[in-house]
Amino acid sequence: MTRRGDRLLLAAAALLFGLTSAAAEDAQVNTIQDVFQHLRTCWKPPPPAKARPLDITVVVSFNRSGNILGHPRITYESAEASDNDRLQYRIAVMEALQRCTPMPFTDAMAGAAAGRPFAIQFRNRKTSPDKTSPPTQERRA
């Protein structure tokens, strides 16, 4: 009975966060879009008490069996981030990659993706200004 309750809780969480698949482990990765979607299901940003929100991009490659090939490389972090923020987000990115690998590639996708770099953006900042705040001088100009 707990197993069914766990599944319902997971499905509710997936709907809450706008994820298309409640069971990322069961979904086969067949397209490039599926790679990014699968990784989003594993992403858990650090809580606001540990680090301020920031954007971070990592470049990673996979082998045919879906394991990480080589070492993931951070290629972008928000400029205003502190050293602590960067460290917390780097840890969160590596934990997401660990949770999601091996990537469950279909046979066709395994051949297409093997060795190719993927630049994966983990965005956690607001990208648009708050609509309740008054417009700034730059927005009026």
Side-chain angles (χ1 to χ4, degrees):
M1 191 63 135
T2 7
R3 189 163 192 97
R4 182 176 177 186
D6 290 343
R7 285 183 188 164
L8 290 174
L9 182 60
L10 185 58
L15 288 174
L16 178 66
F17 291 110
L19 302 175
T20 58
S21 172
E25 301 83 31
D26 296 337
Q28 288 286 300
V29 174
N30 192 41
T31 66
I32 292 172
Q33 186 66 29
D34 290 348
V35 171
F36 295 108
Q37 191 172 20
H38 184 75
L39 287 167
R40 275 195 298 270
T41 65
C42 299
W43 172 239
K44 295 178 185 172
K50 281 188 143 188
R52 291 178 298 170
L54 65 93
D55 295 340
I56 188 168
T57 302
V58 62
V59 175
V60 64
S61 297
F62 302 97
N63 62 19
R64 288 185 61 82
S65 61
N67 291 307
I68 294 174
L69 182 64
H71 298 285
R73 189 170 33 105
I74 303 294
T75 58
Y76 174 81
E77 293 169 313
S78 300
E80 69 277 0
S82 70
D83 287 341
N84 179 60
D85 296 339
R86 293 175 201 273
L87 176 64
Q88 295 301 320
Y89 272 82
R90 287 177 181 195
I91 290 169
V93 165
M94 296 308 154
E95 287 174 346
L97 291 173
Q98 286 178 342
R99 279 190 290 275
C100 269
T101 53
M103 189 75 61
F105 290 136
T106 60
D107 289 339
M109 188 61 184
R116 300 195 191 279
F118 289 88
I120 301 153
Q121 297 177 344
F122 293 94
R123 301 189 64 122
N124 200 36
R125 292 189 307 165
K126 287 184 180 178
T127 55
S128 60
D130 182 15
K131 293 181 181 182
T132 60
S133 63
T136 61
Q137 289 287 47
E138 293 79 19
R139 289 189 69 194
R140 281 190 242 147

